[in-house]
Amino acid sequence: MNKLAKSFVFILLIFLSLSLIFSAMSGLVITPEKISLSEAIQVLKEEQPMEVVLYPNKFEIVLNEEKTFVAEREPNVSFSETLQNFGFLPEEISALNIEVKGESSLTFFLSVILPILLPVIILGVLLFYSFRRANQGAMQIFSFSRSNIRLFAPSKDGITFKDVAGLKEAKEELKEVVEFLKTPKKFYDLGAKIPRGVLLMGPPGSGKTLLARAVAGEARVPFFHISGSEFVEMFVGVGASRVRDTFATAKKSAPSILFIDEIDAIGRIRGAGVGGGHDEREQTLNQILVEMDGFDRDTKIIVIAATNRPDVLDPALLRPGRFDRRVILDMPSINDREEILKIHSRGKTLDPVVDLREIAERTPGFSGADLANLVNEAAILAARRNKKNISQQELLDSIEKVILGPERKSRLLTKKEKEITAYHEAGHALITALLPGTALVRKISIIARGRAAGYTMRMPTEEKYMKTHSEFLDDLCALLGGYVAEEIKFKDVSTGAANDLKEATDIARSLVTKYGMSKKLGPISFDETEELIFLGREIATEKNYSEETAAKIDKEVFDIVNKCYQKTKKLLQKNINKLELVTQELIKKETLEKEEFEELIK
Ligand code: ADP
Ligand code: MG
Ligand code: ZN
């Protein structure tokens, strides 16, 4: 609309300037007075004209500077004949200063050419504009096939391995890549084959993107960054041509790094899709494979891809010669967490007595991104509390905020609700403390947070990567502790236990179907499911066992939960005094720290 208005104004301007030119020219030329032929003869006879100008069809009598007459000529008769016919003598005729002119070029232009030319010009201008507009649209369609690959100049980014905490093995693997990009000759001379693709695998927030950028920073080579989802568009065939374009761009500035983030968006197992759309993904993926196979020995490009779903990746991607280097990024261990906290508290004013180790101890299961978020939350909290620096308290408070969402002080529990919540949480805490399992009570609170009315923070005593059957059972009992405590005290249960029960049931089911920890069903995994993927979600799982077995599984799950329930009930009944003690203290203080709680139950 705007453009239309613009071109309209433009055309109007052309008209205006044309008419201006016309009027200017007509002003320059003295308009001659029109007279008849006989009058003209009269003038010629009586006056002494300066000049007579002959045109093909007319003649002008220039009398003096100001006065000019114009008259029609007789057709098909020469001017001198006309004069002779009117009785002019030959001497009189030769005395006249006669000048012969063709059609004046200006008048010819104005009268003959312009009327034809003007519409043509206007039409041309209009066509030009509309073509250009259409062309722009067309160009947009063409540029779909170009990738919006981003280039990070290594110096600008400035992220190096220094900025990545932990991830030792991953860094070690990637150092090789860096070295190759820096001195490829060293490797070629020994006949070493260079990896073409490195796949970074790790849960969300574990630092995959960060690490890839650090590699580029270390190697100081061009770093091309594109996300897997950017290959996929609404037009079929676009993805593949984008891949071609991406690789071509990266090749032009080799040695370079091509980073494909979230490759699972295109690299899913082929043929797993339902309905349309996956065809396009397949083609895109195929093109990536083709491009990577097309690397010759001298192609100095290393493709780094990142995913948090290695399980859904197409096996063809993982074949040698493609992403044959696989680097696993683990969740940070306690030492790594301390490191990450240190990195992210750079440039923030921390209280000098802050103990980051304690924060690291309290944050098992936090990813790098969670920790970065935690430090930031603490800074915001400190600012809101008008403090000069971030103290331990803000960091501790932020842990809970990151896990559970903000405190909801405004949500007031009724006296009865508060009592129920206190018993419930005390039940969780007491069972956790009484069973030898792996967890410790860090904190109990009946202040509402996020969607939970209260919570018991249980933390593993040490970093563990495996869990035994009995530890699972202890966890299950601790989960039931809240429900059982309510039941014992009030002979009634509330909806507050719904989440606990779901989690408990999930654990029991996993014990049976996943880990083979049920005596009755034996060491068999019943977990194999055919995934049907639709829009990236599982819509159906298929059992690979009979209905009979399904019934057995259900029975076994029920038995496990029930056994734990009985055990928990017995335990709490035996320790009813401690339960009362903890509950009353909770109602009074609302929050109990680890030390206070341990003192109470001694
Ligand atoms: P991913 O790509 O694995 O989902 P990112 O690389 O985007 O995760 O990490 C998100 C943020 O978390 C990073 O920008 C960084 O601030 C922080 N982070 C994650 N891991 C680390 C780490 N090992 N060291 C320092 N910071 C980290
Ligand atoms: Mg990422
Ligand atoms: Zn609970």
Side-chain angles (χ1 to χ4, degrees):
M1 196 58 227
N2 199 8
K3 269 196 175 155
L4 204 77
K6 243 193 214 163
S7 43
F8 183 74
V9 168
F10 183 72
I11 288 166
L12 214 71
L13 273 176
I14 290 182
F15 272 117
L16 247 143
S17 46
L18 273 178
S19 60
L20 262 176
I21 291 170
F22 270 113
S23 60
M25 277 184 318
S26 55
L28 276 179
V29 181
I30 305 153
T31 21
E33 190 181 325
K34 233 182 153 142
I35 51 178
S36 69
L37 186 57
S38 47
E39 281 171 326
I41 300 297
Q42 199 73 28
V43 171
L44 282 178
K45 275 193 174 143
E46 283 162 16
E47 317 268 344
Q48 287 282 310
M50 265 168 68
E51 187 180 33
V52 176
V53 187
L54 292 187
Y55 292 104
N57 305 318
K58 61 179 185 186
F59 64 98
E60 273 176 17
I61 305 165
V62 183
L63 212 57
N64 47 44
E65 257 86 53
E66 284 114 47
K67 197 91 185 139
T68 304
F69 297 103
V70 64
E72 299 278 326
R73 275 178 63 176
E74 276 182 301
N76 307 323
V77 183
S78 77
F79 189 57
S80 46
E81 267 179 74
T82 309
L83 290 181
Q84 275 168 12
N85 291 348
F86 278 98
F88 274 80
L89 299 173
E91 308 90 70
E92 281 175 309
I93 295 174
S94 52
L96 286 171
N97 180 14
I98 293 178
E99 194 187 342
V100 182
K101 268 193 186 165
E103 185 76 64
S104 107
S105 56
L106 185 66
T107 42
F108 181 71
F109 176 76
L110 288 181
S111 60
V112 182
I113 311 245
L114 206 61
I116 302 167
L117 211 60
L118 204 62
V120 173
I121 291 175
I122 292 171
L123 213 74
V125 167
L126 277 174
L127 277 178
F128 172 75
Y129 263 86
S130 53
F131 263 122
R132 217 172 63 163
R133 190 106 39 81
N135 238 7
Q136 272 167 357
M139 287 315 286
Q140 250 160 31
I141 288 176
F142 289 131
S143 71
F144 270 133
S145 61
R146 255 184 272 136
S147 56
N148 25 2
I149 188 168
R150 285 178 301 280
L151 173 68
F152 284 93
S155 53
K156 209 172 78 189
D157 210 13
I159 291 180
T160 60
F161 283 155
K162 267 201 332 293
D163 303 287
V164 185
L167 304 173
K168 269 217 182 58
E169 295 87 356
K171 278 194 213 165
E172 214 47 60
E173 285 266 346
L174 289 169
K175 264 185 195 140
E176 218 178 276
V177 171
V178 170
E179 203 145 318
F180 163 69
L181 287 167
K182 275 183 165 165
T183 51
K185 194 167 172 305
K186 195 166 82 183
F187 290 80
Y188 286 139
D189 286 351
L190 287 170
K193 234 170 112 193
I194 299 307
R196 290 169 178 176
V198 181
L199 185 61
L200 304 178
M201 304 188 291
S206 55
K208 300 180 291 296
T209 310
L210 184 75
L211 195 59
R213 282 166 67 186
V215 172
E218 288 285 329
R220 308 207 130 259
V221 296
F223 176 70
F224 296 96
H225 178 287
I226 191 160
S227 178
S229 56
E230 286 170 66
F231 287 118
V232 187
E233 269 289 346
M234 54 203 269
F235 294 114
V236 174
V238 165
S241 54
R242 276 198 185 164
V243 170
R244 274 194 295 274
D245 183 61
T246 302
F247 277 82
T249 314
K251 268 182 195 163
K252 255 182 245 156
S253 37
S256 60
I257 294 174
L258 173 56
F259 178 52
I260 307 176
D261 210 351
E262 319 284 351
I263 197 172
D264 43 292
I266 37 170
R268 269 173 193 280
I269 296 171
R270 284 171 289 180
V274 180
H278 77 284
D279 259 359
E280 166 69 351
R281 227 173 40 212
E282 272 184 29
Q283 286 180 11
T284 309
L285 179 56
N286 276 336
Q287 192 60 41
I288 291 184
L289 299 182
V290 166
E291 291 286 348
M292 290 185 77
D293 284 344
F295 284 5
D296 44 34
R297 233 181 66 98
D298 299 335
T299 312
K300 297 185 196 74
I301 300 179
I302 289 185
V303 184
I304 301 179
T307 179
N308 48 29
R309 301 282 317 269
D311 50 317
V312 302
L313 284 187
D314 196 288
L317 267 179
L318 308 176
R319 226 196 54 191
R322 286 149 183 185
F323 292 101
D324 43 2
R325 291 292 163 100
R326 267 156 272 168
V327 177
I328 295 172
L329 282 74
D330 282 318
M331 280 304 209
S333 68
I334 181 160
N335 291 330
D336 296 343
R337 289 199 298 272
E338 196 181 345
E339 278 296 305
I340 295 173
L341 286 169
K342 266 187 203 148
I343 284 179
H344 287 282
S345 32
R346 274 191 224 148
K348 295 194 171 69
T349 38
L350 260 68
D351 192 335
V353 298
V354 155
D355 181 8
L356 289 179
R357 181 75 190 181
E358 190 195 355
I359 308 298
E361 273 168 18
R362 291 200 183 202
T363 48
F366 271 44
S367 69
D370 289 334
L371 292 167
N373 184 19
L374 186 154
V375 177
N376 193 46
E377 287 291 344
I380 291 172
L381 211 58
R384 277 175 51 190
R385 291 177 183 168
N386 294 321
K387 291 200 175 172
K388 286 218 173 53
N389 51 25
I390 305 163
S391 72
Q392 191 76 355
Q393 196 53 49
E394 275 84 43
L395 287 165
L396 288 172
D397 291 348
S398 302
I399 297 178
E400 283 151 47
K401 189 162 176 193
V402 170
I403 301 178
L404 301 154
E407 264 185 25
R408 298 214 326 227
K409 292 225 170 83
S410 61
R411 183 172 135 189
L412 291 177
L413 299 176
T414 62
K415 190 157 175 291
K416 175 81 176 172
E417 278 172 338
K418 198 168 164 181
E419 213 182 332
I420 294 175
T421 310
Y423 273 103
H424 181 106
E425 297 306 330
H428 282 311
L430 204 56
I431 297 293
T432 306
L434 290 173
L435 289 174
T438 49
L440 272 181
V441 175
R442 276 277 179 202
K443 186 173 180 175
I444 321 167
S445 167
I446 53 168
I447 296 171
R449 255 182 195 287
R451 290 172 55 205
Y455 64 96
T456 301
M457 210 192 257
R458 302 166 75 240
M459 291 288 165
T461 44
E462 57 202 324
E463 298 280 328
K464 293 191 79 167
Y465 300 100
M466 269 191 261
K467 240 177 170 171
T468 63
H469 184 204
S470 58
E471 284 165 358
F472 270 124
L473 292 183
D474 286 354
D475 274 355
L476 220 162
C477 290
L479 278 167
L480 292 174
Y483 175 91
V484 175
E486 284 182 45
E487 198 189 20
I488 290 175
K489 178 67 194 172
F490 304 104
K491 307 277 177 286
D492 196 3
V493 289
S494 73
T495 54
N499 253 339
D500 298 339
L501 297 185
K502 177 169 183 346
E503 219 173 297
T505 315
D506 285 348
I507 290 180
R509 188 163 282 275
S510 299
L511 286 183
V512 179
T513 61
K514 226 190 216 165
Y515 305 125
M517 287 175 178
S518 145
K519 292 237 164 51
K520 275 189 201 127
L521 285 143
I524 291 171
S525 169
F526 298 101
D527 208 35
E528 282 294 318
T529 52
E530 293 279 327
E531 269 187 32
L532 291 175
I533 294 157
F534 179 62
L535 292 177
R537 275 175 192 280
E538 228 175 275
I539 49 166
T541 49
E542 269 171 27
K543 286 202 271 278
N544 61 353
Y545 43 83
S546 66
E547 288 303 321
E548 219 173 298
T549 313
K552 270 193 208 156
I553 291 172
D554 289 342
K555 172 82 171 60
E556 185 66 359
V557 170
F558 174 80
D559 284 351
I560 289 175
V561 176
N562 200 37
K563 225 165 80 193
C564 284
Y565 166 75
Q566 299 300 345
K567 184 177 171 187
T568 308
K569 196 161 181 175
K570 239 186 256 156
L571 256 178
L572 279 186
Q573 272 163 342
K574 220 169 78 190
N575 293 283
I576 191 87
N577 294 340
K578 285 180 185 169
L579 182 69
E580 281 296 337
L581 208 64
V582 174
T583 306
Q584 293 316 321
E585 196 72 6
L586 252 183
I587 291 173
K588 210 159 63 194
K589 287 187 174 162
E590 295 202 335
T591 317
L592 291 180
E593 289 291 338
K594 175 170 177 269
E595 293 73 22
E596 295 170 288
F597 171 71
E598 279 170 357
E599 188 63 32
L600 278 173
I601 60 165
K602 237 191 342 216

